[in-house]
Amino acid sequence: MSGPKVAMVLAAGLGTRMRPLTNDRPKALVEVAGKALIDHMLDRLVAAGVETAVVNVHYFADLVEAHLRAREAQGLAPRIVISDERAQALETGGGIKHALPLLGEGPVFVANIDSIWIEHAGAAVDAVAAAWDPARMDVCLMLASTTGSLGFHDTGDVFLGADGIVRFKDAGEMAPLVYVGVHICKPAITADGPEGPFSLLPLWKRLAADGRVHGVAPEGLWMHVGDPQAKLAAEARLAEA
């Protein structure tokens, strides 16, 4: 089956670790290899069939909106809908809950804007879509090995069973795989979350206990662009590729 046509793009972060590059712009508009981080992600999503992206904004919100309007004016997909968090940044879970009226009833892609990757075997976003099965899962995570990624948690996040079911590591454990910033979910999983900011991670861990979180680990090199040094490292890897 084809993947979701709607995506939630999380672009409201303060980008404090990216300073001084974020002194005058949001992290989403920091350029890597001459292209804004948010455009790297939007282009990946469009290639996977996404038609509408709901983008949350907070820090330098006006700049993000202006950039996205200019992108649309150039005739570039996807259609952009803004989820306004100017009053308060709501984190990952709170951001999705706030955007529920904009996202529709079906499953959606959810994407951070600070992951860049080099694919080794087919489109990674398509691999997540191919693994998605709403009867068996509420969340499907894009994962990468700790050795096939830069700038993520060296100690890993999760284990992946042969059946595709994710188990989050326990305290003190080392895990072989990290979450790399893209997933598919049923956005309604956030509906019962608290008012205000909250993270998706506790929700995922509860769902994982029931076997409802799955994952897929496509081949490639994943890079978390979290600070100026990581930006330079990503640019160097992209130039090599």
Side-chain angles (χ1 to χ4, degrees):
M1 58 184 289
S2 61
K5 301 301 183 191
V6 177
M8 175 89 196
V9 178
L10 301 171
L14 297 179
T16 51
R17 289 177 56 224
M18 190 63 90
R19 289 177 180 154
L21 300 179
T22 49
N23 285 346
D24 62 352
R25 73 194 63 191
K27 188 176 185 179
L29 298 187
V30 170
E31 291 191 356
V32 174
K35 183 174 175 178
L37 281 168
I38 195 168
D39 289 329
H40 280 279
M41 186 56 72
L42 287 171
D43 290 347
R44 293 280 195 195
L45 293 167
V46 168
V50 167
E51 297 171 355
T52 300
V54 177
V55 180
N56 67 345
V57 296
H58 172 71
Y59 183 62
F60 284 115
D62 292 351
L63 290 184
V64 179
E65 289 195 47
H67 178 86
L68 295 173
R69 280 197 302 271
R71 181 187 163 98
E72 284 192 297
Q74 294 170 35
L76 296 175
R79 183 175 75 96
I80 301 293
V81 178
I82 297 296
S83 180
D84 194 330
E85 295 181 21
R86 282 175 172 80
Q88 181 182 30
L90 295 170
E91 298 184 31
T92 51
I96 295 172
K97 179 180 178 179
H98 181 68
L100 283 175
L102 307 174
L103 292 170
E105 296 295 314
V108 299
F109 283 108
V110 179
N112 299 341
I113 50 81
D114 51 11
S115 286
I116 285 182
W117 62 88
I118 298 164
E119 293 166 342
H120 292 168
V125 181
D126 288 347
V128 182
W132 173 252
D133 179 356
R136 295 188 299 126
M137 60 192 77
D138 298 311
V139 179
C140 186
L141 305 176
M142 183 189 289
L143 304 170
S145 69
T146 54
T147 56
S149 57
L150 300 173
F152 295 92
H153 309 298
D154 291 341
T155 55
D157 295 321
V158 302
F159 299 84
L160 188 61
D163 53 5
I165 293 178
V166 162
R167 177 176 77 78
F168 285 87
K169 70 178 183 182
D170 293 322
E173 270 191 306
M174 299 270 286
L177 298 167
V178 289
Y179 171 60
V180 288
V182 178
H183 70 275
I184 295 175
C185 75
K186 299 172 183 173
I189 64 171
T190 64
D192 294 331
E195 293 305 310
F198 66 93
S199 168
L200 284 171
L201 187 57
L203 284 181
W204 288 354
K205 288 184 174 180
R206 286 201 295 274
L207 290 166
D210 295 325
R212 300 291 298 176
V213 178
H214 287 233
V216 62
E219 292 182 41
L221 173 69
W222 270 261
M223 297 169 283
H224 177 238
V225 185
D227 57 44
Q229 291 71 35
K231 168 184 139 68
L232 294 174
E235 288 175 330
R237 291 299 185 107
L238 290 169
E240 290 170 10

